[in-house]
């Protein structure tokens, strides 16, 4: 699935936040992620997103609004699907020497999603809350306290891509996925070259990243 996002400068080159994520579930892994160092501090921003299939068909479009106060950053991403579905994601993180997740809140609704779902990650308390609708249409809520690594990347993928050097062959970070049970997964991020894109008729180049997902044992 291809995601076209806001643009940002990176090491003197213009990078488009576009990447291809290989969402195949690969062999379980016991490896852990790596904290990503802050190379480009985040501030106020308004980004525009397009969610597309590999063939270029647009599935959804939306906005990302970002605010910062000191080292604390809050982002809100809203994706609106053509079938009326909606994805809302609010992420809070800090940016000192490395990026650290504080909280993540995601709400999904509509026919694009198998179940109505809401998830909340509170790193400080270690609590993860999930609300979803089961196969019988009943609402279910669960609260767990799984191991939450300090370098969780939920809601921060675009920010981390801006801070990874294109010369680094592979970077791994951790995320908490929901099936709806919380499951720790590892993202393996690799640059595969440059890709052209245009803005107002002017052609630029973007770094093309591939993201592979590994379920952790």
């Amino acid at each position: 699935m291809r995601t076209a996002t806001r643009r940002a400068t990176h090491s003197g080159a213009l990078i488009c936040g576009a990447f291809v994520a290989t969402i195949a579930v690969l062999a379980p892994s016991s490896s852990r992620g790596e904290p990503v160092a802050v190379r480009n501090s985040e501030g106020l921003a308004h980004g525009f997103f397009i969610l597309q299939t590999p063939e270029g068909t647009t599935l959804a479009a939306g906005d990302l609004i970002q605010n910062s106060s000191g080292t604390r950053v809050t982002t809100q991403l809203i994706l609106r699907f053509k079938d009326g579905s909606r994805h809302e994601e609010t992420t809070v993180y800090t940016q000192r020497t490395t990026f650290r997740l504080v909280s993540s809140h995601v709400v999904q609704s509509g026919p694009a999603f198998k179940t109505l779902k809401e998830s909340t990650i509170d790193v400080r308390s270690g609590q993860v809350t999930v609300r979803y609708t089961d196969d019988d249409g009943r609402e279910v809520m669960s609260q767990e306290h799984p191991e939450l690594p300090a370098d969780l990347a939920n809601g921060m993928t675009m920010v981390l891509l801006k801070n990874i050097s294109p010369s680094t062959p592979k970077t791994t970070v951790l995320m908490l996925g929901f099936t709806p049970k919380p499951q720790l997964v590892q993202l393996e991020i690799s640059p595969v070259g440059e890709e052209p894109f245009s803005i107002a008729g002017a052609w630029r180049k973007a770094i093309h990243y591939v993201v592979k997902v590994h379920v952790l044992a």
Side-chain angles (χ1 to χ4, degrees):
M1 188 167 291
R2 183 181 299 273
T3 306
T5 69
R6 55 183 178 155
R7 273 72 172 173
T9 56
H10 190 312
S11 300
L14 188 69
I15 288 186
C16 170
F19 67 94
V20 174
T22 305
I23 310 296
V25 177
L26 305 179
S29 169
S30 59
S31 301
R32 296 298 175 177
E34 306 165 0
V36 175
V38 178
R39 302 175 65 221
N40 302 286
S41 297
E42 293 294 315
L44 298 175
H46 186 177
F48 303 94
F49 277 62
I50 299 174
L51 182 66
Q52 298 177 318
T53 66
E55 295 74 30
T57 301
T58 298
L59 301 176
D63 300 79
L64 182 143
I65 306 297
Q66 179 173 279
N67 296 283
S68 64
S69 177
T71 61
R72 189 181 181 95
V73 181
T74 301
T75 64
Q76 183 181 33
L77 170 65
I78 299 177
L79 287 175
R80 305 171 187 86
F81 289 73
K82 288 186 173 181
D83 63 4
S85 301
R86 189 178 178 93
H87 172 98
E88 296 185 38
E89 183 172 354
T90 302
T91 305
V92 180
Y93 62 89
T94 58
Q95 50 178 358
R96 296 185 178 91
T97 56
T98 59
F99 293 97
R100 299 288 183 175
L101 181 68
V102 175
S103 64
S104 171
H105 181 226
V106 177
V107 179
Q108 296 175 332
S109 61
F113 304 100
K114 183 178 180 181
T115 60
L116 301 178
K117 186 183 300 182
E118 178 180 3
S119 63
T120 303
I121 303 172
D122 187 331
V123 174
R124 184 170 56 181
S125 68
Q127 181 168 294
V128 176
T129 304
V130 182
R131 299 176 186 270
Y132 64 97
T133 304
D134 65 15
D135 293 338
D136 296 322
R138 296 174 298 185
E139 183 175 297
V140 179
M141 184 187 77
S142 67
Q143 292 183 329
E144 299 186 28
H145 288 78
E147 178 186 356
L148 294 179
D151 55 343
L152 279 179
N154 287 67
M156 298 191 295
T157 308
M158 292 294 104
V159 172
L160 300 184
L161 286 177
K162 289 166 58 179
N163 288 269
I164 295 172
S165 171
S167 63
T168 302
K170 182 177 71 173
T171 300
T172 57
V173 298
L174 298 177
M175 290 185 68
L176 199 64
F178 298 91
T179 60
K181 180 181 175 61
Q183 172 66 59
L184 201 62
V185 298
Q186 180 191 73
L187 303 187
E188 181 182 305
I189 305 170
S190 303
V192 295
E194 295 183 335
E195 185 172 304
F197 67 96
S198 64
I199 297 179
W203 283 95
R204 306 294 182 97
K205 290 184 178 180
I207 302 298
H208 182 160
Y209 290 94
V210 168
V211 182
K212 295 181 181 180
V213 181
H214 301 265
V215 177
L216 295 185

